[in-house]
Amino acid sequence: MKRVTLARRIAARRRLVEMAEDFAPFYDRTRLERLLRERAPGLVQLVGEREIEAVLELATRPLRADNAPN
């Protein structure tokens, strides 16, 4: 098994973020989480639970409206 280095973790997180952003418009948060865990279990294991939660939060947050008050 290859060593888990910081660069490997960063690359795995980057790939998960890319996947999550690609699929986010089509799935809700729960289904998106299941999809990531099924399609990329090695990446999920590599980055850890806290990072998965952060990736899901970023991918599923609503976009800000232009007329929203500051």
Side-chain angles (χ1 to χ4, degrees), residues 54-69:
V55 166
L56 290 170
E57 183 68 31
L58 288 173
T60 58
R61 68 179 176 205
L63 298 175
R64 182 188 295 182
D66 289 335
N67 59 357

Side-chain angles (χ1 to χ4, degrees), residues 36-48:
L36 291 176
R37 290 182 188 280
E38 288 174 359
R39 290 205 177 188
L43 297 179
V44 170
Q45 182 182 11
L46 196 59
V47 299

